[in-house]
Amino acid sequence: MMMTSKLLEYLDTLFPDPKCELLYATDYQLLMAVVLSAQSTDKRVNSVTPVIFSKYPSLEDLANASVEDLEDIIRPVGSFRKKARFIKEIARRLVDEFNGVVPVDREVLESFPGVGRKTVNVFLAEFYHYPAIAVDTHVERVSKRLKLAYLNDSVLDVECKLMKKIPRESWAKFHLQMVLFGRYYCKAVKPLCKDCPLKEYCREKKKNLD
Ligand code: SF4
């Protein structure tokens, strides 16, 4: 069996119905949660977003929020000064330019503060089921270990290679499954290689089985 078929099959066994672990109720809440998740964890983000969105229940409230107050709430996720400004500015632009609706346009979205290609991919795939493979730290690590990409490939290289190798209809689900696989099995430190059926394709197997 080809390596990618075996990988997809294994991911389907482990995570038949993968879900995004970020909590959100609306389009802008998801976008902001993804922005906050940069260099942080979903768990930490989930500990602050309900506080933000109950204290500032509308986009107008967020656009007018005090940056210092947002910083205090956001502190646990890290880079809180920068992220507090991003949240307020995103809210302001959504109110002023987009009638409060997050635009479904990659280029426009990437012009928002704190929003890069990965954030857009996560947002579009999760909220609109748009085919996209967001390459975060887990997806990048697992892809490189499994020789789906070279070790010195950029994040964009990894994304392009994955899009060539994985069927388009599986992209969004594949991203979620790879994140979960990287988070709970193929971890950065001490991956659980012993029972992994992908060992024969993996660069890491020897290191972690000794
Ligand atoms: S063998 Fe280990 S490092 Fe390789 S894919 Fe499996 S869990 Fe990850």
Side-chain angles (χ1 to χ4, degrees), residues 7 10 142 145-146 181 185-187 191-206 208-209:
L7 170 62
Y10 184 47
V142 176
R145 282 177 172 172
L146 288 173
F181 183 52
Y185 291 80
C186 191
K187 301 181 284 185
L192 310 180
C193 301
K194 207 163 147 277
D195 300 318
C196 179
L198 306 170
K199 281 197 278 282
E200 61 180 295
Y201 309 105
C202 182
R203 299 180 202 272
E204 289 279 311
K205 62 176 179 217
K206 283 207 187 86
N208 297 301
L209 289 173

Side-chain angles (χ1 to χ4, degrees), residues 4-210:
T4 44
S5 319
K6 195 155 179 185
L7 170 62
L8 292 176
E9 195 184 282
Y10 184 47
L11 292 175
D12 275 343
T13 315
L14 291 178
F15 312 108
D17 188 19
K19 295 266 185 299
C20 171
E21 294 187 342
L22 290 170
L23 301 173
Y24 66 92
T26 66
D27 56 355
Y28 76 81
Q29 289 188 3
L30 173 62
L31 182 67
M32 290 177 182
V34 183
V35 167
L36 291 174
S37 72
Q39 267 92 54
S40 192
T41 63
D42 289 359
K43 212 167 156 190
R44 268 187 243 150
V45 173
N46 289 340
S47 75
V48 305
T49 42
V51 183
I52 301 176
F53 299 130
S54 73
K55 184 152 188 198
Y56 300 101
S58 73
L59 269 175
E60 283 80 3
D61 296 330
L62 269 173
N64 295 319
S66 124
V67 179
E68 291 73 28
D69 189 45
L70 285 176
E71 284 176 358
D72 276 347
I73 302 172
I74 290 169
R75 195 177 293 262
V77 305
S79 307
F80 62 95
R81 290 192 203 285
K82 207 168 64 177
K83 288 177 180 173
R85 285 201 321 274
F86 290 163
I87 295 305
K88 186 173 159 81
E89 220 175 302
I90 290 172
R92 170 56 56 208
R93 280 198 65 192
L94 288 174
V95 169
D96 289 351
E97 300 170 39
F98 300 98
N99 238 336
V101 178
V102 178
V104 188
D105 179 316
R106 178 180 291 282
E107 229 170 285
V108 177
L109 280 169
E110 284 189 25
S111 74
F112 280 61
V115 178
R117 186 175 176 88
K118 188 202 78 181
T119 302
V120 174
N121 283 345
V122 173
F123 172 76
L124 293 177
E126 171 64 17
F127 205 81
Y128 289 104
H129 307 291
Y130 179 90
I133 304 179
V135 179
D136 75 345
T137 178
H138 300 295
V139 179
E140 179 180 6
R141 182 181 66 255
V142 176
S143 300
K144 290 184 174 177
R145 282 177 172 172
L146 288 173
K147 303 179 195 165
L148 292 164
Y150 293 123
L151 290 175
N152 59 359
D153 276 346
S154 68
V155 170
L156 186 58
D157 292 333
V158 175
E159 185 183 325
C160 293
K161 288 182 178 176
L162 291 175
M163 287 193 295
K164 278 196 194 125
K165 290 172 183 167
I166 305 299
R168 190 181 165 88
E169 64 275 12
S170 304
W171 289 355
K173 183 178 173 193
F174 175 77
H175 156 77
L176 289 170
Q177 291 175 320
M178 287 282 272
V179 171
L180 295 171
F181 183 52
R183 194 174 285 162
Y184 300 113
Y185 291 80
C186 191
K187 301 181 284 185
V189 181
K190 293 198 185 154
L192 310 180
C193 301
K194 207 163 147 277
D195 300 318
C196 179
L198 306 170
K199 281 197 278 282
E200 61 180 295
Y201 309 105
C202 182
R203 299 180 202 272
E204 289 279 311
K205 62 176 179 217
K206 283 207 187 86
K207 251 194 271 171
N208 297 301
L209 289 173
D210 291 341

